Short mmCIF file of all heavy atoms in Angstrom, two decimals:
data_model
loop_
_atom_site.label_atom_id
_atom_site.label_comp_id
_atom_site.label_asym_id
_atom_site.label_seq_id
_atom_site.Cartn_x
_atom_site.Cartn_y
_atom_site.Cartn_z
N MET A 236 3.01 -6.26 8.54
CA MET A 236 3.41 -6.28 7.08
C MET A 236 2.61 -5.07 6.40
O MET A 236 3.26 -4.27 5.71
CB MET A 236 3.06 -7.57 6.46
CG MET A 236 3.30 -7.55 5.00
SD MET A 236 3.28 -9.12 4.07
CE MET A 236 1.87 -9.94 4.69
N ILE A 237 1.34 -5.03 6.69
CA ILE A 237 0.58 -3.92 6.01
C ILE A 237 1.04 -2.55 6.64
O ILE A 237 1.07 -1.58 5.87
CB ILE A 237 -0.91 -4.19 6.20
CG1 ILE A 237 -1.33 -5.37 5.46
CG2 ILE A 237 -1.71 -2.98 5.76
CD1 ILE A 237 -1.10 -5.31 3.96
N ARG A 238 1.19 -2.54 7.96
CA ARG A 238 1.73 -1.26 8.52
C ARG A 238 3.00 -0.76 7.85
O ARG A 238 3.20 0.43 7.65
CB ARG A 238 1.91 -1.42 10.02
CG ARG A 238 0.58 -1.58 10.76
CD ARG A 238 0.77 -1.37 12.21
NE ARG A 238 -0.43 -1.83 12.93
CZ ARG A 238 -1.40 -0.94 13.13
NH1 ARG A 238 -1.31 0.26 12.66
NH2 ARG A 238 -2.52 -1.30 13.84
N LYS A 239 3.92 -1.70 7.56
CA LYS A 239 5.16 -1.33 6.86
C LYS A 239 4.89 -0.77 5.48
O LYS A 239 5.54 0.12 5.05
CB LYS A 239 6.10 -2.53 6.79
CG LYS A 239 6.61 -2.91 8.15
CD LYS A 239 7.55 -4.07 8.07
CE LYS A 239 8.09 -4.46 9.50
NZ LYS A 239 8.88 -5.54 9.45
N LEU A 240 3.88 -1.41 4.77
CA LEU A 240 3.51 -0.93 3.52
C LEU A 240 2.98 0.47 3.52
O LEU A 240 3.40 1.33 2.81
CB LEU A 240 2.36 -1.78 2.86
CG LEU A 240 1.68 -1.24 1.59
CD1 LEU A 240 2.64 -1.16 0.44
CD2 LEU A 240 0.45 -2.08 1.34
N ILE A 241 2.09 0.74 4.45
CA ILE A 241 1.46 2.11 4.59
C ILE A 241 2.63 3.09 4.99
O ILE A 241 2.64 4.17 4.42
CB ILE A 241 0.34 2.13 5.58
CG1 ILE A 241 -0.81 1.23 5.11
CG2 ILE A 241 -0.16 3.54 5.85
CD1 ILE A 241 -1.37 1.57 3.77
N LEU A 242 3.47 2.74 5.85
CA LEU A 242 4.51 3.59 6.24
C LEU A 242 5.44 3.88 5.05
O LEU A 242 5.87 5.03 4.84
CB LEU A 242 5.42 2.96 7.36
CG LEU A 242 6.54 3.73 7.88
CD1 LEU A 242 6.12 5.21 8.40
CD2 LEU A 242 7.35 3.07 8.90
N ALA A 243 5.78 2.86 4.24
CA ALA A 243 6.57 3.12 3.02
C ALA A 243 5.83 4.05 2.06
O ALA A 243 6.52 4.89 1.47
CB ALA A 243 6.90 1.72 2.31
N ILE A 244 4.58 3.93 1.95
CA ILE A 244 3.83 4.75 1.06
C ILE A 244 3.93 6.22 1.57
O ILE A 244 4.21 7.09 0.79
CB ILE A 244 2.32 4.30 0.92
CG1 ILE A 244 2.22 3.03 0.15
CG2 ILE A 244 1.45 5.42 0.28
CD1 ILE A 244 0.83 2.34 0.31
N ILE A 245 3.70 6.35 2.87
CA ILE A 245 3.70 7.73 3.45
C ILE A 245 5.06 8.25 3.30
O ILE A 245 5.17 9.53 2.92
CB ILE A 245 3.12 7.68 4.90
CG1 ILE A 245 1.69 7.29 4.84
CG2 ILE A 245 3.38 9.00 5.54
CD1 ILE A 245 1.04 6.98 6.15
N VAL A 246 6.08 7.60 3.59
CA VAL A 246 7.44 8.09 3.62
C VAL A 246 7.85 8.36 2.18
O VAL A 246 8.43 9.46 1.93
CB VAL A 246 8.41 7.12 4.26
CG1 VAL A 246 9.88 7.59 4.02
CG2 VAL A 246 8.17 7.02 5.74
N SER A 247 7.49 7.60 1.20
CA SER A 247 7.85 7.71 -0.09
C SER A 247 7.17 8.97 -0.69
O SER A 247 7.67 9.67 -1.61
CB SER A 247 7.46 6.55 -0.95
OG SER A 247 8.21 5.46 -0.62
N ALA A 248 5.95 9.24 -0.24
CA ALA A 248 5.27 10.40 -0.72
C ALA A 248 5.79 11.73 -0.03
O ALA A 248 5.40 12.80 -0.41
CB ALA A 248 3.77 10.30 -0.35
N ALA A 249 6.67 11.56 0.92
CA ALA A 249 7.32 12.69 1.55
C ALA A 249 6.27 13.65 2.22
O ALA A 249 6.25 14.93 1.96
CB ALA A 249 8.20 13.54 0.68
N VAL A 250 5.27 13.11 2.91
CA VAL A 250 4.28 13.93 3.59
C VAL A 250 4.75 14.42 4.93
O VAL A 250 5.81 14.01 5.40
CB VAL A 250 2.98 13.04 3.75
CG1 VAL A 250 2.40 12.70 2.35
CG2 VAL A 250 3.29 11.84 4.53
N SER A 251 3.98 15.19 5.58
CA SER A 251 4.45 15.76 6.85
C SER A 251 4.48 14.73 7.92
O SER A 251 3.94 13.66 7.92
CB SER A 251 3.26 16.83 7.34
OG SER A 251 2.16 16.14 7.72
N PRO A 252 5.38 15.00 8.91
CA PRO A 252 5.54 13.99 10.00
C PRO A 252 4.37 13.67 10.71
O PRO A 252 4.14 12.49 11.12
CB PRO A 252 6.59 14.76 10.94
CG PRO A 252 7.27 15.67 10.09
CD PRO A 252 6.23 16.12 9.08
N ALA A 253 3.36 14.55 10.87
CA ALA A 253 2.18 14.29 11.60
C ALA A 253 1.32 13.19 10.77
O ALA A 253 0.75 12.30 11.36
CB ALA A 253 1.33 15.55 11.72
N LEU A 254 1.23 13.35 9.49
CA LEU A 254 0.52 12.36 8.73
C LEU A 254 1.28 11.03 8.64
O LEU A 254 0.70 9.99 8.68
CB LEU A 254 0.41 12.93 7.23
CG LEU A 254 -0.47 12.03 6.38
CD1 LEU A 254 -1.84 11.82 6.93
CD2 LEU A 254 -0.53 12.70 4.96
N ALA A 255 2.63 11.02 8.67
CA ALA A 255 3.43 9.85 8.60
C ALA A 255 3.15 8.94 9.84
O ALA A 255 3.24 7.75 9.79
CB ALA A 255 4.88 10.16 8.59
N ALA A 256 2.78 9.44 10.95
CA ALA A 256 2.48 8.74 12.09
C ALA A 256 1.11 8.21 12.12
O ALA A 256 0.76 7.34 13.00
CB ALA A 256 2.66 9.60 13.42
N GLN A 257 0.30 8.64 11.20
CA GLN A 257 -1.14 8.29 11.16
C GLN A 257 -1.37 6.82 10.64
O GLN A 257 -1.98 6.01 11.32
CB GLN A 257 -1.86 9.26 10.24
CG GLN A 257 -3.28 9.54 10.59
CD GLN A 257 -3.81 10.70 9.83
OE1 GLN A 257 -3.06 11.55 9.64
NE2 GLN A 257 -4.98 10.60 9.52
N GLY A 258 -0.95 6.49 9.36
CA GLY A 258 -1.19 5.10 8.79
C GLY A 258 -2.51 4.47 9.20
O GLY A 258 -2.51 3.56 9.93
N SER A 259 -3.63 5.03 8.67
CA SER A 259 -4.93 4.57 9.15
C SER A 259 -5.18 3.08 8.92
O SER A 259 -4.73 2.51 7.98
CB SER A 259 -5.98 5.40 8.57
OG SER A 259 -6.36 4.93 7.28
N SER A 260 -6.00 2.52 9.79
CA SER A 260 -6.49 1.11 9.58
C SER A 260 -7.33 1.02 8.34
O SER A 260 -7.28 -0.10 7.73
CB SER A 260 -7.11 0.58 10.77
OG SER A 260 -8.30 1.40 11.10
N ASP A 261 -7.96 2.04 7.94
CA ASP A 261 -8.81 1.95 6.76
C ASP A 261 -7.92 1.79 5.49
O ASP A 261 -8.25 1.05 4.58
CB ASP A 261 -9.71 3.32 6.61
CG ASP A 261 -10.76 3.26 7.63
OD1 ASP A 261 -11.18 2.24 8.12
OD2 ASP A 261 -11.41 4.39 7.79
N GLU A 262 -6.81 2.51 5.56
CA GLU A 262 -5.84 2.42 4.41
C GLU A 262 -5.21 1.04 4.39
O GLU A 262 -5.06 0.42 3.28
CB GLU A 262 -4.70 3.52 4.55
CG GLU A 262 -5.19 4.89 4.22
CD GLU A 262 -4.11 5.96 4.49
OE1 GLU A 262 -3.30 5.78 5.44
OE2 GLU A 262 -4.22 6.96 3.75
N GLU A 263 -4.86 0.49 5.51
CA GLU A 263 -4.29 -0.77 5.52
C GLU A 263 -5.36 -1.87 5.08
O GLU A 263 -4.99 -2.73 4.24
CB GLU A 263 -3.99 -1.21 7.04
CG GLU A 263 -2.79 -0.40 7.55
CD GLU A 263 -2.50 -0.78 9.05
OE1 GLU A 263 -2.97 -1.82 9.49
OE2 GLU A 263 -1.81 0.07 9.62
N ALA A 264 -6.54 -1.74 5.51
CA ALA A 264 -7.68 -2.62 5.04
C ALA A 264 -7.88 -2.50 3.55
O ALA A 264 -8.16 -3.51 2.86
CB ALA A 264 -8.88 -2.43 5.87
N ALA A 265 -7.71 -1.32 3.07
CA ALA A 265 -7.94 -1.11 1.59
C ALA A 265 -6.90 -1.84 0.71
O ALA A 265 -7.24 -2.44 -0.39
CB ALA A 265 -7.90 0.29 1.23
N CYS A 266 -5.66 -2.08 1.20
CA CYS A 266 -4.64 -2.63 0.44
C CYS A 266 -4.31 -4.05 0.82
O CYS A 266 -3.63 -4.81 0.13
CB CYS A 266 -3.38 -1.82 0.43
SG CYS A 266 -3.53 -0.33 -0.49
N ARG A 267 -4.84 -4.53 1.99
CA ARG A 267 -4.48 -5.85 2.41
C ARG A 267 -4.70 -6.98 1.43
O ARG A 267 -3.95 -7.76 1.19
CB ARG A 267 -5.17 -6.12 3.76
CG ARG A 267 -4.74 -7.47 4.44
CD ARG A 267 -5.44 -7.63 5.75
NE ARG A 267 -4.92 -6.62 6.68
CZ ARG A 267 -5.68 -5.65 7.32
NH1 ARG A 267 -6.92 -5.61 7.23
NH2 ARG A 267 -5.03 -4.79 8.22
N PRO A 268 -5.98 -6.96 0.80
CA PRO A 268 -6.19 -8.10 -0.20
C PRO A 268 -5.16 -8.03 -1.38
O PRO A 268 -4.86 -9.09 -1.87
CB PRO A 268 -7.62 -7.92 -0.60
CG PRO A 268 -8.21 -7.01 0.50
CD PRO A 268 -7.16 -6.12 1.05
N ASP A 269 -4.92 -6.86 -1.85
CA ASP A 269 -3.98 -6.74 -2.97
C ASP A 269 -2.59 -7.11 -2.64
O ASP A 269 -1.83 -7.72 -3.39
CB ASP A 269 -3.98 -5.28 -3.51
CG ASP A 269 -5.38 -4.95 -4.11
OD1 ASP A 269 -6.01 -5.71 -4.86
OD2 ASP A 269 -5.89 -3.87 -3.79
N VAL A 270 -2.16 -6.69 -1.34
CA VAL A 270 -0.78 -7.16 -0.92
C VAL A 270 -0.80 -8.72 -0.91
O VAL A 270 0.17 -9.31 -1.40
CB VAL A 270 -0.46 -6.59 0.42
CG1 VAL A 270 0.71 -7.21 1.01
CG2 VAL A 270 -0.24 -5.04 0.24
N ARG A 271 -1.80 -9.30 -0.30
CA ARG A 271 -1.76 -10.75 -0.25
C ARG A 271 -1.85 -11.43 -1.60
O ARG A 271 -1.24 -12.45 -1.90
CB ARG A 271 -3.07 -11.23 0.51
CG ARG A 271 -2.83 -10.95 2.06
CD ARG A 271 -4.11 -11.50 2.80
NE ARG A 271 -3.89 -11.20 4.15
CZ ARG A 271 -4.86 -10.99 5.03
NH1 ARG A 271 -6.16 -11.13 4.65
NH2 ARG A 271 -4.68 -10.84 6.32
N ARG A 272 -2.60 -10.76 -2.54
CA ARG A 272 -2.71 -11.47 -3.94
C ARG A 272 -1.47 -11.18 -4.66
O ARG A 272 -1.00 -12.18 -5.43
CB ARG A 272 -3.93 -10.89 -4.60
CG ARG A 272 -4.13 -11.39 -5.95
CD ARG A 272 -5.47 -10.88 -6.53
NE ARG A 272 -5.65 -11.40 -7.90
CZ ARG A 272 -6.49 -10.99 -8.75
NH1 ARG A 272 -7.13 -9.94 -8.45
NH2 ARG A 272 -6.58 -11.58 -9.96
N PHE A 273 -0.94 -10.05 -4.82
CA PHE A 273 0.13 -9.73 -5.73
C PHE A 273 1.48 -9.67 -5.18
O PHE A 273 2.52 -9.87 -5.87
CB PHE A 273 -0.14 -8.36 -6.34
CG PHE A 273 -1.43 -8.25 -7.18
CD1 PHE A 273 -2.45 -7.51 -6.71
CD2 PHE A 273 -1.67 -9.10 -8.29
CE1 PHE A 273 -3.64 -7.39 -7.41
CE2 PHE A 273 -2.76 -9.02 -9.02
CZ PHE A 273 -3.84 -8.22 -8.54
N CYS A 274 1.62 -9.53 -3.81
CA CYS A 274 2.96 -9.26 -3.23
C CYS A 274 3.28 -10.48 -2.16
O CYS A 274 4.18 -10.14 -1.34
CB CYS A 274 2.91 -7.96 -2.60
SG CYS A 274 2.45 -6.53 -3.65
N HIS A 275 2.60 -11.57 -2.22
CA HIS A 275 2.87 -12.59 -1.25
C HIS A 275 4.34 -13.12 -1.26
O HIS A 275 4.90 -13.67 -0.31
CB HIS A 275 1.89 -13.76 -1.49
CG HIS A 275 1.99 -14.40 -2.82
ND1 HIS A 275 1.32 -13.89 -3.90
CD2 HIS A 275 2.78 -15.48 -3.25
CE1 HIS A 275 1.68 -14.62 -4.97
NE2 HIS A 275 2.54 -15.61 -4.57
N ALA A 276 5.01 -12.87 -2.41
CA ALA A 276 6.39 -13.37 -2.50
C ALA A 276 7.40 -12.42 -1.97
O ALA A 276 8.58 -12.68 -1.83
CB ALA A 276 6.72 -13.70 -4.00
N VAL A 277 6.98 -11.16 -1.64
CA VAL A 277 7.82 -10.14 -1.17
C VAL A 277 8.19 -10.51 0.34
O VAL A 277 7.29 -10.68 1.12
CB VAL A 277 7.23 -8.75 -1.22
CG1 VAL A 277 8.13 -7.64 -0.52
CG2 VAL A 277 6.93 -8.39 -2.67
N PRO A 278 9.39 -10.56 0.61
CA PRO A 278 9.80 -10.97 2.02
C PRO A 278 9.41 -9.81 3.06
O PRO A 278 9.27 -8.72 2.62
CB PRO A 278 11.30 -11.13 1.96
CG PRO A 278 11.73 -10.28 0.80
CD PRO A 278 10.63 -10.35 -0.15
N GLU A 279 9.29 -10.16 4.28
CA GLU A 279 8.97 -9.29 5.34
C GLU A 279 10.05 -8.14 5.32
O GLU A 279 11.22 -8.41 5.21
CB GLU A 279 9.04 -9.91 6.63
CG GLU A 279 8.65 -9.10 7.79
CD GLU A 279 7.17 -8.74 7.88
OE1 GLU A 279 6.43 -9.50 7.50
OE2 GLU A 279 6.90 -7.72 8.45
N GLY A 280 9.50 -6.86 5.29
CA GLY A 280 10.40 -5.75 5.21
C GLY A 280 10.92 -5.42 3.80
O GLY A 280 11.70 -4.49 3.60
N GLY A 281 10.34 -6.13 2.81
CA GLY A 281 10.65 -5.93 1.44
C GLY A 281 9.88 -4.80 0.79
O GLY A 281 9.31 -3.95 1.52
N ASN A 282 10.01 -4.60 -0.47
CA ASN A 282 9.48 -3.49 -1.24
C ASN A 282 8.02 -3.63 -1.61
O ASN A 282 7.73 -3.95 -2.77
CB ASN A 282 10.30 -3.06 -2.42
CG ASN A 282 9.90 -1.90 -3.07
OD1 ASN A 282 9.10 -1.14 -2.64
ND2 ASN A 282 10.51 -1.63 -4.24
N PHE A 283 7.12 -3.59 -0.65
CA PHE A 283 5.74 -3.78 -0.94
C PHE A 283 5.14 -2.69 -1.79
O PHE A 283 4.30 -2.90 -2.71
CB PHE A 283 4.90 -3.85 0.36
CG PHE A 283 5.09 -5.17 1.11
CD1 PHE A 283 5.99 -5.14 2.21
CD2 PHE A 283 4.50 -6.31 0.66
CE1 PHE A 283 6.22 -6.31 2.86
CE2 PHE A 283 4.76 -7.48 1.41
CZ PHE A 283 5.60 -7.51 2.49
N LEU A 284 5.60 -1.45 -1.56
CA LEU A 284 5.15 -0.36 -2.40
C LEU A 284 5.54 -0.58 -3.85
O LEU A 284 4.73 -0.32 -4.78
CB LEU A 284 5.75 0.98 -1.93
CG LEU A 284 5.52 2.19 -2.61
CD1 LEU A 284 4.03 2.46 -2.75
CD2 LEU A 284 6.16 3.35 -2.04
N GLY A 285 6.75 -0.95 -4.16
CA GLY A 285 7.15 -1.21 -5.50
C GLY A 285 6.38 -2.37 -6.13
O GLY A 285 5.96 -2.26 -7.33
N CYS A 286 6.04 -3.36 -5.34
CA CYS A 286 5.13 -4.44 -5.86
C CYS A 286 3.76 -3.90 -6.16
O CYS A 286 3.19 -4.28 -7.22
CB CYS A 286 5.06 -5.49 -4.77
SG CYS A 286 3.84 -6.87 -5.19
N LEU A 287 3.24 -3.15 -5.32
CA LEU A 287 1.93 -2.51 -5.58
C LEU A 287 1.86 -1.62 -6.86
O LEU A 287 1.02 -1.64 -7.70
CB LEU A 287 1.37 -1.78 -4.42
CG LEU A 287 0.91 -2.66 -3.25
CD1 LEU A 287 0.44 -1.80 -2.10
CD2 LEU A 287 -0.21 -3.59 -3.61
N GLN A 288 2.98 -0.83 -6.97
CA GLN A 288 3.03 0.10 -8.12
C GLN A 288 3.25 -0.73 -9.42
O GLN A 288 2.69 -0.43 -10.45
CB GLN A 288 4.19 0.95 -7.92
CG GLN A 288 3.94 2.06 -6.94
CD GLN A 288 5.06 3.04 -6.69
OE1 GLN A 288 6.28 2.61 -6.60
NE2 GLN A 288 4.75 4.33 -6.48
N LYS A 289 3.99 -1.85 -9.34
CA LYS A 289 4.21 -2.78 -10.52
C LYS A 289 2.84 -3.32 -10.97
O LYS A 289 2.62 -3.60 -12.15
CB LYS A 289 5.21 -3.78 -10.17
CG LYS A 289 5.41 -4.82 -11.28
CD LYS A 289 6.42 -5.83 -10.92
CE LYS A 289 6.66 -6.90 -11.84
NZ LYS A 289 7.54 -8.02 -11.50
N ASN A 290 1.98 -3.65 -10.03
CA ASN A 290 0.68 -4.22 -10.33
C ASN A 290 -0.53 -3.18 -10.30
O ASN A 290 -1.65 -3.59 -10.13
CB ASN A 290 0.42 -5.31 -9.30
CG ASN A 290 1.35 -6.46 -9.44
OD1 ASN A 290 1.30 -7.26 -10.43
ND2 ASN A 290 2.34 -6.58 -8.52
N ARG A 291 -0.29 -1.95 -10.33
CA ARG A 291 -1.23 -0.87 -10.20
C ARG A 291 -2.49 -1.20 -11.06
O ARG A 291 -3.60 -0.91 -10.54
CB ARG A 291 -0.57 0.47 -10.61
CG ARG A 291 -1.52 1.55 -10.45
CD ARG A 291 -0.87 2.89 -10.90
NE ARG A 291 -1.33 3.93 -10.03
CZ ARG A 291 -0.69 4.36 -8.86
NH1 ARG A 291 0.45 3.87 -8.58
NH2 ARG A 291 -1.25 5.26 -8.13
N ASP A 292 -2.34 -1.52 -12.26
CA ASP A 292 -3.47 -1.77 -13.09
C ASP A 292 -4.36 -2.89 -12.65
O ASP A 292 -5.53 -2.90 -13.07
CB ASP A 292 -3.05 -2.05 -14.59
CG ASP A 292 -2.31 -0.82 -15.19
OD1 ASP A 292 -2.54 0.28 -14.78
OD2 ASP A 292 -1.63 -1.06 -16.24
N LYS A 293 -3.90 -3.82 -11.88
CA LYS A 293 -4.65 -4.94 -11.32
C LYS A 293 -5.25 -4.70 -9.99
O LYS A 293 -6.01 -5.52 -9.54
CB LYS A 293 -3.70 -6.18 -11.29
CG LYS A 293 -3.23 -6.57 -12.61
CD LYS A 293 -2.19 -7.70 -12.47
CE LYS A 293 -1.17 -7.76 -13.59
NZ LYS A 293 -0.10 -8.70 -13.26
N LEU A 294 -4.82 -3.64 -9.31
CA LEU A 294 -5.33 -3.37 -7.96
C LEU A 294 -6.76 -3.04 -7.83
O LEU A 294 -7.29 -2.46 -8.90
CB LEU A 294 -4.49 -2.12 -7.35
CG LEU A 294 -2.96 -2.35 -7.24
CD1 LEU A 294 -2.30 -1.14 -6.59
CD2 LEU A 294 -2.70 -3.55 -6.41
N ARG A 295 -7.35 -3.43 -6.84
CA ARG A 295 -8.72 -3.00 -6.52
C ARG A 295 -8.76 -1.48 -6.37
O ARG A 295 -7.84 -0.78 -5.95
CB ARG A 295 -9.31 -3.72 -5.32
CG ARG A 295 -9.31 -5.22 -5.38
CD ARG A 295 -9.73 -5.94 -4.20
NE ARG A 295 -9.00 -5.33 -2.97
CZ ARG A 295 -9.60 -4.58 -2.04
NH1 ARG A 295 -10.93 -4.35 -2.08
NH2 ARG A 295 -8.90 -4.04 -1.03
N ARG A 296 -9.92 -0.90 -6.70
CA ARG A 296 -10.16 0.47 -6.60
C ARG A 296 -9.67 1.10 -5.21
O ARG A 296 -9.11 2.17 -5.17
CB ARG A 296 -11.50 0.96 -6.92
CG ARG A 296 -11.78 2.34 -7.12
CD ARG A 296 -13.19 2.73 -7.60
NE ARG A 296 -13.38 2.06 -8.80
CZ ARG A 296 -14.65 1.72 -9.21
NH1 ARG A 296 -15.66 2.05 -8.55
NH2 ARG A 296 -14.83 1.02 -10.40
N PRO A 297 -10.11 0.48 -4.11
CA PRO A 297 -9.75 1.05 -2.81
C PRO A 297 -8.31 1.25 -2.58
O PRO A 297 -7.80 2.26 -2.08
CB PRO A 297 -10.35 0.20 -1.72
CG PRO A 297 -11.39 -0.58 -2.49
CD PRO A 297 -11.04 -0.60 -3.88
N CYS A 298 -7.51 0.29 -3.06
CA CYS A 298 -6.03 0.32 -2.83
C CYS A 298 -5.37 1.31 -3.77
O CYS A 298 -4.53 2.10 -3.41
CB CYS A 298 -5.45 -1.06 -3.02
SG CYS A 298 -3.63 -1.05 -2.65
N ARG A 299 -5.91 1.43 -5.04
CA ARG A 299 -5.46 2.42 -5.90
C ARG A 299 -5.77 3.84 -5.31
O ARG A 299 -4.94 4.75 -5.46
CB ARG A 299 -6.14 2.24 -7.31
CG ARG A 299 -5.45 1.24 -8.24
CD ARG A 299 -5.86 1.46 -9.63
NE ARG A 299 -7.39 1.65 -9.83
CZ ARG A 299 -8.31 0.76 -10.11
NH1 ARG A 299 -7.91 -0.49 -10.28
NH2 ARG A 299 -9.58 1.04 -10.23
N GLY A 300 -6.86 4.02 -4.66
CA GLY A 300 -7.19 5.25 -4.08
C GLY A 300 -6.17 5.62 -3.01
O GLY A 300 -5.88 6.81 -2.80
N VAL A 301 -5.78 4.67 -2.16
CA VAL A 301 -4.75 4.91 -1.08
C VAL A 301 -3.48 5.44 -1.80
O VAL A 301 -2.89 6.38 -1.32
CB VAL A 301 -4.44 3.58 -0.26
CG1 VAL A 301 -3.28 3.91 0.59
CG2 VAL A 301 -5.71 3.32 0.53
N LEU A 302 -3.05 4.75 -2.81
CA LEU A 302 -1.72 5.19 -3.43
C LEU A 302 -1.96 6.63 -4.07
O LEU A 302 -1.07 7.43 -3.90
CB LEU A 302 -1.40 4.14 -4.67
CG LEU A 302 -1.12 2.82 -4.17
CD1 LEU A 302 -0.74 1.94 -5.41
CD2 LEU A 302 0.14 2.72 -3.29
N GLU A 303 -3.11 6.81 -4.72
CA GLU A 303 -3.29 8.19 -5.28
C GLU A 303 -3.42 9.16 -4.23
O GLU A 303 -2.98 10.33 -4.39
CB GLU A 303 -4.56 8.10 -6.20
CG GLU A 303 -4.44 7.24 -7.33
CD GLU A 303 -5.62 6.96 -8.08
OE1 GLU A 303 -6.76 7.53 -7.65
OE2 GLU A 303 -5.62 6.27 -9.11
N SER A 304 -3.99 8.95 -3.08
CA SER A 304 -4.17 9.90 -2.02
C SER A 304 -2.81 10.30 -1.42
O SER A 304 -2.68 11.36 -0.76
CB SER A 304 -5.10 9.40 -0.97
OG SER A 304 -4.39 8.32 -0.08
N HIS A 305 -1.75 9.45 -1.71
CA HIS A 305 -0.52 9.91 -1.14
C HIS A 305 0.48 10.27 -2.38
O HIS A 305 1.71 10.22 -2.25
CB HIS A 305 0.16 8.66 -0.43
CG HIS A 305 -0.50 8.36 0.96
ND1 HIS A 305 -0.37 9.23 1.98
CD2 HIS A 305 -1.39 7.35 1.25
CE1 HIS A 305 -1.17 8.64 2.94
NE2 HIS A 305 -1.74 7.65 2.54
N GLY A 306 -0.18 10.64 -3.44
CA GLY A 306 0.66 11.08 -4.61
C GLY A 306 1.42 10.05 -5.30
O GLY A 306 2.44 10.39 -5.99
N LEU A 307 0.98 8.81 -5.25
CA LEU A 307 1.76 7.76 -5.83
C LEU A 307 1.06 7.14 -7.00
O LEU A 307 -0.05 7.01 -7.10
CB LEU A 307 2.14 6.60 -4.87
CG LEU A 307 2.92 7.10 -3.68
CD1 LEU A 307 3.06 6.04 -2.62
CD2 LEU A 307 4.29 7.51 -4.15
#
């Protein structure tokens, strides 16, 4: 689930193919608690990125950093 979130972030940011394959475990770990807290109702394969963006002001600093690092 988190891997799909990171992939969606990377693809949405239109970054290079080399970076798109990366999706670091640190980035996943940074957003995992926020996904569980705010996006638990999003079905598997759903719009986790949209959920995080909707709740951006409530996200923990590490997850906001992940979004910002991908231009979101």
Side-chain angles (χ1 to χ4, degrees):
M236 173 167 48
I237 294 298
R238 289 192 187 278
K239 289 181 183 180
L240 165 69
I241 297 303
L242 180 60
I244 290 170
I245 293 170
V246 170
S247 295
V250 296
S251 73
L254 184 57
Q257 210 167 329
S259 81
S260 59
D261 289 342
E262 291 175 326
E263 291 178 18
C266 287
R267 186 174 293 122
D269 294 311
V270 168
R271 287 182 180 154
R272 181 173 181 196
F273 300 113
C274 306
H275 60 275
V277 176
E279 184 72 29
N282 187 6
F283 291 99
L284 177 58
C286 174
L287 289 176
Q288 288 177 320
K289 179 180 175 183
N290 292 287
R291 179 181 220 98
D292 293 339
K293 301 174 202 167
L294 298 179
R295 295 171 320 108
R296 188 175 305 158
C298 189
R299 278 196 317 261
V301 169
L302 294 178
E303 291 167 5
S304 74
H305 293 286
L307 302 172

